[in-house]
């Protein structure tokens, strides 16, 4: 019998990664091709589709493709278009799904938000298997989120639902890339914890190895390594970050009453250093209705493969619906 697979495609600014993924989340084949930017979209589509066909061909008739899921910047799930992605240079409005469908008979789906596809990936292949209600928070350079409620990803009327990283947690707080102040992402991201460490250096006398590093060179990994060695300032930076994050999660929970909240991404890799203060602050600030009910868990997906896993998972989700 042929193995049912979904093709997950992640279109990045430089490269496009293609993965052939089965229902269990095993990647049967993976390849990549340059994202041809500032060119006629058809040039890119020809390269992309021949790469897909070649990959499928190499699997030698052992698979049955059920659909293609695509993660692309500024794309709209509902219309299937990529709109205003100036870095790609394919024009203002590209009917990407429609164009892909000229090559393939099976369903083609686009999704823009990485955290949304990560959430679907977690539900199909990861630790959220069998869960109908959960929130995925991706703690990378920024903070992304995907909300699954009643077994469905919440997309909203325009497809942009689930931007919890831009919930204001301190109106007089740090300036955010979105133009406002005090968004969660300015605290609970890799860049956020670096800002916190710099502030602690400037405003406290706490001794720290991090004082020898110019603030501009800070990385969250550096702060983690210092914390592991017991560096007081680094530990404090994690505690502050966890406090902000946990308090925010306590509020998020009121919206959809999730069974679990998953943390994914660089900062989540810090394990107990981030999970313990986050869990504490979450329970401390939780409305009694949800007290001690919501699990805070690490994602079980391979961080390096999340883009294609997430994109492919969207196909299974779509078939379920
Ligand atoms: Zn913001």
């Amino acid at each position: 019998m042929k193995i049912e697979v979904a093709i997950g495609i992640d279109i990045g600014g430089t490269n496009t990664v293609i993965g052939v993924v089965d229902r269990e989340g095993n990647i049967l084949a993976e390849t990549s091709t340059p994202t041809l930017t500032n060119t006629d979209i058809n040039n890119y589509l020809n390269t992309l589709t021949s790469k897909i066909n070649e990959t499928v061909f190499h699997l030698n008739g052992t698979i049955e493709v059920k659909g293609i899921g695509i993660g692309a910047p500024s794309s709209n799930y509902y219309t299937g278009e990529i709109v205003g992605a100036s870095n790609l240079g394919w024009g203002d409005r590209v009917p990407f799904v429609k164009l892909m469908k000229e090559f393939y008979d099976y369903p083609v789906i686009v999704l823009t938000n990485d955290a949304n596809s990560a959430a679907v990936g977690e539900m199909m292949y990861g630790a959220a298997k069998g869960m109908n209600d959960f929130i995925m928070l991706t703690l990378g350079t920024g903070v992304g989120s995907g909300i699954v409620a009643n077994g469905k990803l919440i997309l909203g009327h325009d497809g942009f639902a689930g931007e919890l990283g831009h919930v204001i947690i301190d109106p007089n707080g740090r300036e955010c890339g979105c133009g406002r102040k005090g968004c969660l992402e300015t605290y609970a991201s890799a860049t956020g914890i670096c800002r916190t460490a710099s502030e602690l250096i400037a405003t406290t006398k706490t001794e720290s190895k991090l004082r020898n590093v110019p603030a501009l060179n800070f990385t969250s990994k550096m702060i983690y390594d210092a914390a592991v060695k017991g560096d007081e300032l680094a530990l404090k930076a994690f505690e502050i970050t966890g406090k902000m994050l946990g308090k925010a999660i306590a509020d998020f929970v009121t919206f959809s009453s999730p069974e679990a909240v998953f943390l994914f991404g660089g900062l989540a890799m810090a394990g107990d250093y981030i999970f313990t203060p986050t869990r504490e602050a979450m329970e401390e600030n939780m409305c009694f209705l949800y007290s001690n009910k919501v699990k805070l868990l690490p994602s079980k997906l391979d961080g390096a493969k999340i883009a294609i896993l997430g994109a492919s998972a969207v196909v299974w989700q779509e078939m379920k619906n």
Side-chain angles (χ1 to χ4, degrees), residues 91-153:
D92 258 1
R93 196 169 271 272
V94 182
F96 203 82
V97 167
K98 190 169 159 255
L99 294 170
M100 281 292 279
K101 281 186 140 307
E102 287 172 15
F103 293 87
Y104 302 105
D105 284 336
Y106 28 77
V108 179
I109 307 128
V110 283
L111 206 56
T112 188
N113 179 338
D114 295 350
N116 275 346
S117 53
V120 182
E122 199 74 52
M123 179 162 60
M124 294 297 154
Y125 314 130
K129 243 184 195 175
M131 279 188 196
N132 279 324
D133 297 273
F134 67 93
I135 297 175
M136 161 71 80
L137 293 173
T138 58
L139 313 177
T141 320
V143 172
S145 69
I147 305 164
V148 171
N150 299 336
K152 280 193 176 178
L153 182 69

Short mmCIF file of all heavy atoms in Angstrom, two decimals, residues 91-153:
data_model
loop_
_atom_site.label_atom_id
_atom_site.label_comp_id
_atom_site.label_asym_id
_atom_site.label_seq_id
_atom_site.Cartn_x
_atom_site.Cartn_y
_atom_site.Cartn_z
N GLY A 91 5.48 41.11 -7.40
CA GLY A 91 4.30 41.95 -7.62
C GLY A 91 3.49 42.06 -6.34
O GLY A 91 3.73 41.33 -5.38
N ASP A 92 2.55 42.98 -6.37
CA ASP A 92 1.78 43.32 -5.18
C ASP A 92 0.87 42.21 -4.69
O ASP A 92 0.67 42.02 -3.51
CB ASP A 92 0.91 44.56 -5.47
CG ASP A 92 1.55 45.80 -4.87
OD1 ASP A 92 2.63 45.65 -4.28
OD2 ASP A 92 0.96 46.89 -5.01
N ARG A 93 0.29 41.52 -5.65
CA ARG A 93 -0.77 40.56 -5.33
C ARG A 93 -0.57 39.31 -6.18
O ARG A 93 -0.82 39.34 -7.39
CB ARG A 93 -2.11 41.23 -5.62
CG ARG A 93 -3.32 40.60 -5.02
CD ARG A 93 -4.52 41.51 -5.18
NE ARG A 93 -4.64 42.43 -4.07
CZ ARG A 93 -5.30 42.15 -2.95
NH1 ARG A 93 -5.93 41.01 -2.82
NH2 ARG A 93 -5.37 43.03 -1.97
N VAL A 94 -0.08 38.23 -5.58
CA VAL A 94 0.20 37.01 -6.35
C VAL A 94 -0.80 35.91 -5.98
O VAL A 94 -0.85 35.50 -4.82
CB VAL A 94 1.64 36.50 -6.05
CG1 VAL A 94 1.95 35.28 -6.88
CG2 VAL A 94 2.65 37.59 -6.28
N PRO A 95 -1.60 35.46 -6.94
CA PRO A 95 -2.58 34.39 -6.62
C PRO A 95 -1.88 33.04 -6.54
O PRO A 95 -2.05 32.18 -7.40
CB PRO A 95 -3.56 34.46 -7.79
CG PRO A 95 -2.76 35.02 -8.92
CD PRO A 95 -1.66 35.86 -8.35
N PHE A 96 -1.10 32.84 -5.50
CA PHE A 96 -0.17 31.72 -5.43
C PHE A 96 -0.85 30.36 -5.51
O PHE A 96 -0.43 29.47 -6.25
CB PHE A 96 0.68 31.83 -4.16
CG PHE A 96 1.97 31.09 -4.26
CD1 PHE A 96 3.07 31.66 -4.88
CD2 PHE A 96 2.09 29.80 -3.78
CE1 PHE A 96 4.26 30.97 -5.01
CE2 PHE A 96 3.28 29.10 -3.90
CZ PHE A 96 4.37 29.69 -4.52
N VAL A 97 -1.92 30.19 -4.75
CA VAL A 97 -2.61 28.90 -4.74
C VAL A 97 -3.18 28.59 -6.12
O VAL A 97 -3.04 27.48 -6.64
CB VAL A 97 -3.73 28.88 -3.66
CG1 VAL A 97 -4.65 27.69 -3.85
CG2 VAL A 97 -3.10 28.83 -2.26
N LYS A 98 -3.79 29.59 -6.73
CA LYS A 98 -4.37 29.42 -8.06
C LYS A 98 -3.30 28.99 -9.07
O LYS A 98 -3.50 28.07 -9.87
CB LYS A 98 -5.03 30.75 -8.48
CG LYS A 98 -5.86 30.66 -9.73
CD LYS A 98 -6.69 31.93 -9.92
CE LYS A 98 -7.11 32.07 -11.36
NZ LYS A 98 -6.34 33.09 -12.09
N LEU A 99 -2.15 29.64 -9.00
CA LEU A 99 -1.06 29.31 -9.92
C LEU A 99 -0.53 27.90 -9.67
O LEU A 99 -0.24 27.15 -10.62
CB LEU A 99 0.08 30.33 -9.77
CG LEU A 99 -0.26 31.77 -10.21
CD1 LEU A 99 0.84 32.74 -9.81
CD2 LEU A 99 -0.47 31.81 -11.73
N MET A 100 -0.42 27.51 -8.41
CA MET A 100 0.06 26.16 -8.08
C MET A 100 -0.93 25.10 -8.55
O MET A 100 -0.55 24.00 -8.95
CB MET A 100 0.26 26.02 -6.56
CG MET A 100 1.53 26.64 -6.03
SD MET A 100 3.03 25.80 -6.56
CE MET A 100 3.09 24.41 -5.43
N LYS A 101 -2.19 25.45 -8.49
CA LYS A 101 -3.24 24.49 -8.87
C LYS A 101 -3.24 24.19 -10.37
O LYS A 101 -3.84 23.22 -10.82
CB LYS A 101 -4.59 24.95 -8.37
CG LYS A 101 -4.79 24.66 -6.90
CD LYS A 101 -6.17 24.99 -6.46
CE LYS A 101 -6.81 24.05 -5.51
NZ LYS A 101 -6.91 22.70 -5.67
N GLU A 102 -2.56 25.05 -11.12
CA GLU A 102 -2.41 24.74 -12.55
C GLU A 102 -1.47 23.56 -12.76
O GLU A 102 -1.45 22.93 -13.79
CB GLU A 102 -1.91 25.98 -13.30
CG GLU A 102 -3.02 27.03 -13.44
CD GLU A 102 -2.54 28.34 -14.01
OE1 GLU A 102 -1.43 28.39 -14.57
OE2 GLU A 102 -3.29 29.34 -13.87
N PHE A 103 -0.66 23.28 -11.73
CA PHE A 103 0.28 22.16 -11.82
C PHE A 103 -0.23 20.90 -11.11
O PHE A 103 0.19 19.81 -11.42
CB PHE A 103 1.62 22.54 -11.17
CG PHE A 103 2.38 23.62 -11.89
CD1 PHE A 103 2.14 24.97 -11.62
CD2 PHE A 103 3.33 23.29 -12.84
CE1 PHE A 103 2.84 25.96 -12.28
CE2 PHE A 103 4.05 24.28 -13.49
CZ PHE A 103 3.81 25.62 -13.21
N TYR A 104 -1.09 21.08 -10.10
CA TYR A 104 -1.48 19.94 -9.27
C TYR A 104 -2.99 19.86 -9.06
O TYR A 104 -3.66 20.88 -8.96
CB TYR A 104 -0.78 20.03 -7.89
CG TYR A 104 0.71 20.06 -8.02
CD1 TYR A 104 1.41 21.26 -7.82
CD2 TYR A 104 1.43 18.92 -8.35
CE1 TYR A 104 2.80 21.30 -7.95
CE2 TYR A 104 2.82 18.95 -8.49
CZ TYR A 104 3.50 20.14 -8.29
OH TYR A 104 4.85 20.18 -8.43
N ASP A 105 -3.46 18.63 -8.94
CA ASP A 105 -4.90 18.41 -8.76
C ASP A 105 -5.32 18.42 -7.30
O ASP A 105 -6.47 18.63 -6.98
CB ASP A 105 -5.29 17.03 -9.34
CG ASP A 105 -5.34 17.10 -10.86
OD1 ASP A 105 -5.54 18.21 -11.38
OD2 ASP A 105 -5.17 16.03 -11.49
N TYR A 106 -4.37 18.11 -6.41
CA TYR A 106 -4.76 18.00 -4.99
C TYR A 106 -4.79 19.35 -4.29
O TYR A 106 -4.32 20.35 -4.85
CB TYR A 106 -3.87 17.00 -4.26
CG TYR A 106 -2.48 16.85 -4.79
CD1 TYR A 106 -1.51 17.80 -4.52
CD2 TYR A 106 -2.14 15.74 -5.56
CE1 TYR A 106 -0.22 17.65 -5.01
CE2 TYR A 106 -0.86 15.59 -6.05
CZ TYR A 106 0.10 16.55 -5.78
OH TYR A 106 1.36 16.41 -6.26
N PRO A 107 -5.33 19.39 -3.07
CA PRO A 107 -5.47 20.66 -2.36
C PRO A 107 -4.12 21.37 -2.14
O PRO A 107 -3.12 20.72 -1.87
CB PRO A 107 -6.07 20.28 -1.01
CG PRO A 107 -6.63 18.93 -1.18
CD PRO A 107 -5.88 18.27 -2.29
N VAL A 108 -4.14 22.68 -2.32
CA VAL A 108 -2.97 23.51 -2.03
C VAL A 108 -3.43 24.58 -1.06
O VAL A 108 -4.45 25.23 -1.27
CB VAL A 108 -2.43 24.18 -3.32
CG1 VAL A 108 -1.22 25.05 -2.99
CG2 VAL A 108 -2.05 23.14 -4.37
N ILE A 109 -2.70 24.73 0.05
CA ILE A 109 -3.10 25.66 1.08
C ILE A 109 -1.92 26.56 1.45
O ILE A 109 -0.80 26.08 1.57
CB ILE A 109 -3.53 24.90 2.36
CG1 ILE A 109 -4.58 23.85 2.01
CG2 ILE A 109 -4.07 25.84 3.43
CD1 ILE A 109 -4.26 22.48 2.51
N VAL A 110 -2.16 27.85 1.62
CA VAL A 110 -1.09 28.72 2.13
C VAL A 110 -1.47 29.24 3.51
O VAL A 110 -2.63 29.47 3.82
CB VAL A 110 -0.78 29.97 1.26
CG1 VAL A 110 0.01 29.62 0.05
CG2 VAL A 110 -2.02 30.76 0.95
N LEU A 111 -0.44 29.44 4.31
CA LEU A 111 -0.62 29.96 5.65
C LEU A 111 0.57 30.87 5.92
O LEU A 111 1.70 30.53 5.60
CB LEU A 111 -0.63 28.79 6.63
CG LEU A 111 -1.38 28.95 7.95
CD1 LEU A 111 -2.84 29.33 7.72
CD2 LEU A 111 -1.30 27.66 8.75
N THR A 112 0.30 32.03 6.53
CA THR A 112 1.40 32.98 6.66
C THR A 112 2.14 32.87 7.98
O THR A 112 3.34 33.00 8.05
CB THR A 112 0.88 34.42 6.47
OG1 THR A 112 1.99 35.29 6.43
CG2 THR A 112 -0.04 34.84 7.60
N ASN A 113 1.39 32.64 9.03
CA ASN A 113 1.95 32.76 10.37
C ASN A 113 2.67 31.47 10.78
O ASN A 113 2.07 30.42 10.92
CB ASN A 113 0.78 33.09 11.30
CG ASN A 113 1.18 33.21 12.74
OD1 ASN A 113 2.20 32.67 13.16
ND2 ASN A 113 0.36 33.90 13.50
N ASP A 114 3.98 31.56 11.01
CA ASP A 114 4.78 30.39 11.39
C ASP A 114 4.23 29.72 12.64
O ASP A 114 4.24 28.50 12.76
CB ASP A 114 6.21 30.81 11.73
CG ASP A 114 6.93 31.37 10.54
OD1 ASP A 114 6.37 31.24 9.43
OD2 ASP A 114 8.02 31.93 10.72
N ALA A 115 3.79 30.53 13.59
CA ALA A 115 3.32 29.96 14.86
C ALA A 115 2.02 29.21 14.64
O ALA A 115 1.75 28.21 15.31
CB ALA A 115 3.13 31.07 15.88
N ASN A 116 1.21 29.66 13.67
CA ASN A 116 -0.02 28.93 13.34
C ASN A 116 0.31 27.55 12.81
O ASN A 116 -0.27 26.55 13.24
CB ASN A 116 -0.84 29.69 12.28
CG ASN A 116 -1.73 30.74 12.90
OD1 ASN A 116 -1.94 30.75 14.11
ND2 ASN A 116 -2.25 31.62 12.08
N SER A 117 1.26 27.48 11.89
CA SER A 117 1.57 26.16 11.35
C SER A 117 2.30 25.31 12.39
O SER A 117 2.13 24.10 12.43
CB SER A 117 2.31 26.24 10.03
OG SER A 117 3.43 27.04 10.12
N ALA A 118 3.07 25.95 13.26
CA ALA A 118 3.71 25.20 14.36
C ALA A 118 2.63 24.57 15.24
O ALA A 118 2.76 23.43 15.69
CB ALA A 118 4.61 26.11 15.18
N ALA A 119 1.55 25.32 15.48
CA ALA A 119 0.46 24.81 16.31
C ALA A 119 -0.18 23.59 15.65
O ALA A 119 -0.41 22.56 16.30
CB ALA A 119 -0.59 25.89 16.54
N VAL A 120 -0.43 23.69 14.36
CA VAL A 120 -1.04 22.56 13.65
C VAL A 120 -0.07 21.37 13.64
O VAL A 120 -0.46 20.21 13.81
CB VAL A 120 -1.46 22.95 12.22
CG1 VAL A 120 -2.13 21.79 11.51
CG2 VAL A 120 -2.42 24.13 12.25
N GLY A 121 1.22 21.66 13.47
CA GLY A 121 2.25 20.62 13.51
C GLY A 121 2.25 19.90 14.85
O GLY A 121 2.31 18.67 14.92
N GLU A 122 2.15 20.66 15.92
CA GLU A 122 2.14 20.07 17.26
C GLU A 122 0.91 19.18 17.45
O GLU A 122 0.96 18.12 18.06
CB GLU A 122 2.13 21.20 18.31
CG GLU A 122 2.56 20.77 19.69
CD GLU A 122 4.07 20.53 19.80
OE1 GLU A 122 4.84 21.41 19.40
OE2 GLU A 122 4.47 19.45 20.25
N MET A 123 -0.20 19.62 16.87
CA MET A 123 -1.46 18.88 17.00
C MET A 123 -1.41 17.57 16.21
O MET A 123 -1.91 16.55 16.63
CB MET A 123 -2.61 19.77 16.53
CG MET A 123 -3.98 19.11 16.58
SD MET A 123 -5.30 20.32 16.53
CE MET A 123 -5.01 21.14 14.97
N MET A 124 -0.79 17.63 15.02
CA MET A 124 -0.77 16.45 14.16
C MET A 124 0.33 15.47 14.55
O MET A 124 0.14 14.26 14.53
CB MET A 124 -0.56 16.87 12.69
CG MET A 124 -1.71 17.66 12.12
SD MET A 124 -3.21 16.66 12.07
CE MET A 124 -4.47 17.92 12.14
N TYR A 125 1.51 16.00 14.87
CA TYR A 125 2.68 15.13 15.05
C TYR A 125 3.28 15.18 16.46
O TYR A 125 4.13 14.37 16.78
CB TYR A 125 3.81 15.52 14.09
CG TYR A 125 3.44 15.76 12.66
CD1 TYR A 125 3.86 16.92 12.00
CD2 TYR A 125 2.72 14.81 11.94
CE1 TYR A 125 3.56 17.14 10.66
CE2 TYR A 125 2.41 15.04 10.60
CZ TYR A 125 2.83 16.19 9.97
OH TYR A 125 2.55 16.41 8.65
N GLY A 126 2.94 16.18 17.24
CA GLY A 126 3.71 16.42 18.46
C GLY A 126 2.97 16.14 19.75
O GLY A 126 2.15 15.23 19.83
N ALA A 127 3.26 16.95 20.75
CA ALA A 127 2.74 16.73 22.10
C ALA A 127 1.27 17.13 22.24
O ALA A 127 0.65 16.84 23.26
CB ALA A 127 3.59 17.49 23.10
N ALA A 128 0.71 17.79 21.24
CA ALA A 128 -0.70 18.20 21.32
C ALA A 128 -1.62 17.20 20.60
O ALA A 128 -2.80 17.48 20.39
CB ALA A 128 -0.88 19.59 20.74
N LYS A 129 -1.06 16.04 20.22
CA LYS A 129 -1.88 15.01 19.56
C LYS A 129 -3.08 14.69 20.44
O LYS A 129 -2.93 14.41 21.62
CB LYS A 129 -1.05 13.74 19.39
CG LYS A 129 -0.83 13.36 17.96
CD LYS A 129 -0.08 12.05 17.86
CE LYS A 129 0.43 11.86 16.45
NZ LYS A 129 1.26 10.67 16.31
N GLY A 130 -4.26 14.74 19.87
CA GLY A 130 -5.46 14.41 20.64
C GLY A 130 -6.01 15.57 21.46
O GLY A 130 -7.05 15.46 22.09
N MET A 131 -5.32 16.70 21.47
CA MET A 131 -5.83 17.86 22.20
C MET A 131 -6.68 18.72 21.26
O MET A 131 -6.32 18.94 20.12
CB MET A 131 -4.68 18.73 22.71
CG MET A 131 -4.04 18.24 23.97
SD MET A 131 -2.88 19.48 24.59
CE MET A 131 -1.96 18.46 25.76
N ASN A 132 -7.78 19.21 21.78
CA ASN A 132 -8.64 20.07 20.96
C ASN A 132 -8.45 21.55 21.27
O ASN A 132 -8.88 22.40 20.50
CB ASN A 132 -10.11 19.71 21.20
CG ASN A 132 -10.52 18.49 20.40
OD1 ASN A 132 -10.05 18.31 19.28
ND2 ASN A 132 -11.34 17.65 20.99
N ASP A 133 -7.87 21.82 22.44
CA ASP A 133 -7.74 23.21 22.86
C ASP A 133 -6.36 23.46 23.45
O ASP A 133 -6.03 22.92 24.51
CB ASP A 133 -8.80 23.55 23.91
CG ASP A 133 -10.21 23.41 23.35
OD1 ASP A 133 -10.70 24.38 22.78
OD2 ASP A 133 -10.77 22.29 23.45
N PHE A 134 -5.59 24.23 22.74
CA PHE A 134 -4.27 24.59 23.28
C PHE A 134 -3.75 25.85 22.60
O PHE A 134 -4.29 26.28 21.57
CB PHE A 134 -3.27 23.43 23.12
CG PHE A 134 -2.90 23.13 21.69
CD1 PHE A 134 -1.78 23.70 21.12
CD2 PHE A 134 -3.68 22.28 20.91
CE1 PHE A 134 -1.44 23.44 19.80
CE2 PHE A 134 -3.34 22.01 19.59
CZ PHE A 134 -2.22 22.58 19.04
N ILE A 135 -2.73 26.42 23.22
CA ILE A 135 -2.10 27.62 22.64
C ILE A 135 -0.62 27.31 22.45
O ILE A 135 0.02 26.75 23.33
CB ILE A 135 -2.26 28.84 23.57
CG1 ILE A 135 -3.74 29.20 23.75
CG2 ILE A 135 -1.49 30.05 23.03
CD1 ILE A 135 -4.01 30.32 24.75
N MET A 136 -0.11 27.65 21.29
CA MET A 136 1.31 27.48 21.02
C MET A 136 1.95 28.86 21.04
O MET A 136 1.48 29.78 20.37
CB MET A 136 1.45 26.84 19.63
CG MET A 136 2.79 26.99 18.99
SD MET A 136 4.02 25.99 19.79
CE MET A 136 3.66 24.41 19.07
N LEU A 137 2.99 29.01 21.84
CA LEU A 137 3.73 30.27 21.83
C LEU A 137 5.14 30.00 21.32
O LEU A 137 5.83 29.12 21.84
CB LEU A 137 3.81 30.87 23.24
CG LEU A 137 2.49 31.36 23.85
CD1 LEU A 137 2.71 31.77 25.30
CD2 LEU A 137 1.92 32.53 23.05
N THR A 138 5.54 30.70 20.29
CA THR A 138 6.89 30.52 19.77
C THR A 138 7.75 31.69 20.24
O THR A 138 7.47 32.83 19.94
CB THR A 138 6.90 30.43 18.23
OG1 THR A 138 6.32 31.62 17.70
CG2 THR A 138 6.09 29.25 17.73
N LEU A 139 8.77 31.34 21.01
CA LEU A 139 9.62 32.37 21.59
C LEU A 139 10.94 32.41 20.83
O LEU A 139 11.90 31.75 21.18
CB LEU A 139 9.89 32.06 23.07
CG LEU A 139 8.66 31.68 23.92
CD1 LEU A 139 9.08 31.32 25.33
CD2 LEU A 139 7.64 32.81 23.96
N GLY A 140 10.94 33.14 19.74
CA GLY A 140 12.15 33.28 18.93
C GLY A 140 12.63 34.71 19.01
O GLY A 140 12.60 35.32 20.08
N THR A 141 13.06 35.25 17.85
CA THR A 141 13.44 36.67 17.80
C THR A 141 12.26 37.52 18.26
O THR A 141 12.42 38.50 18.96
CB THR A 141 13.81 37.06 16.35
OG1 THR A 141 14.54 35.99 15.80
CG2 THR A 141 14.63 38.32 16.33
N GLY A 142 11.07 37.09 17.84
CA GLY A 142 9.84 37.71 18.34
C GLY A 142 9.02 36.66 19.08
O GLY A 142 9.53 35.58 19.38
N VAL A 143 7.77 36.99 19.36
CA VAL A 143 6.87 36.01 19.98
C VAL A 143 5.69 35.79 19.04
O VAL A 143 5.00 36.75 18.68
CB VAL A 143 6.35 36.48 21.36
CG1 VAL A 143 5.28 35.54 21.90
CG2 VAL A 143 7.50 36.59 22.36
N GLY A 144 5.50 34.56 18.60
CA GLY A 144 4.36 34.24 17.75
C GLY A 144 3.41 33.35 18.51
O GLY A 144 3.76 32.78 19.55
N SER A 145 2.19 33.22 18.01
CA SER A 145 1.27 32.31 18.68
C SER A 145 0.28 31.72 17.71
O SER A 145 -0.04 32.31 16.68
CB SER A 145 0.53 33.03 19.80
OG SER A 145 -0.34 33.98 19.25
N GLY A 146 -0.14 30.51 18.02
CA GLY A 146 -1.19 29.85 17.28
C GLY A 146 -2.20 29.31 18.30
O GLY A 146 -1.81 28.69 19.29
N ILE A 147 -3.46 29.60 18.06
CA ILE A 147 -4.48 29.19 19.02
C ILE A 147 -5.37 28.13 18.38
O ILE A 147 -5.92 28.35 17.30
CB ILE A 147 -5.36 30.40 19.43
CG1 ILE A 147 -4.48 31.53 19.97
CG2 ILE A 147 -6.42 29.99 20.46
CD1 ILE A 147 -5.18 32.87 20.03
N VAL A 148 -5.45 26.97 19.02
CA VAL A 148 -6.36 25.93 18.55
C VAL A 148 -7.50 25.84 19.56
O VAL A 148 -7.26 25.68 20.76
CB VAL A 148 -5.64 24.58 18.40
CG1 VAL A 148 -6.62 23.46 18.13
CG2 VAL A 148 -4.60 24.66 17.28
N ALA A 149 -8.72 26.00 19.08
CA ALA A 149 -9.90 25.91 19.95
C ALA A 149 -10.92 25.01 19.29
O ALA A 149 -11.11 25.09 18.06
CB ALA A 149 -10.48 27.29 20.20
N ASN A 150 -11.53 24.14 20.07
CA ASN A 150 -12.49 23.16 19.53
C ASN A 150 -11.90 22.38 18.35
O ASN A 150 -12.59 22.09 17.38
CB ASN A 150 -13.79 23.84 19.08
CG ASN A 150 -14.47 24.55 20.23
OD1 ASN A 150 -14.26 24.20 21.39
ND2 ASN A 150 -15.29 25.53 19.94
N GLY A 151 -10.61 22.10 18.43
CA GLY A 151 -9.95 21.29 17.40
C GLY A 151 -9.59 22.03 16.14
O GLY A 151 -9.10 21.44 15.18
N LYS A 152 -9.84 23.35 16.13
CA LYS A 152 -9.55 24.12 14.92
C LYS A 152 -8.62 25.28 15.20
O LYS A 152 -8.70 25.92 16.25
CB LYS A 152 -10.84 24.69 14.35
CG LYS A 152 -11.64 23.70 13.56
CD LYS A 152 -12.71 24.40 12.78
CE LYS A 152 -13.45 23.41 11.90
NZ LYS A 152 -14.51 24.03 11.16
N LEU A 153 -7.77 25.53 14.23
CA LEU A 153 -6.89 26.68 14.33
C LEU A 153 -7.73 27.95 14.17
O LEU A 153 -8.54 28.05 13.26
CB LEU A 153 -5.85 26.61 13.21
CG LEU A 153 -4.81 27.71 13.18
CD1 LEU A 153 -3.86 27.59 14.35
CD2 LEU A 153 -4.03 27.64 11.87
#
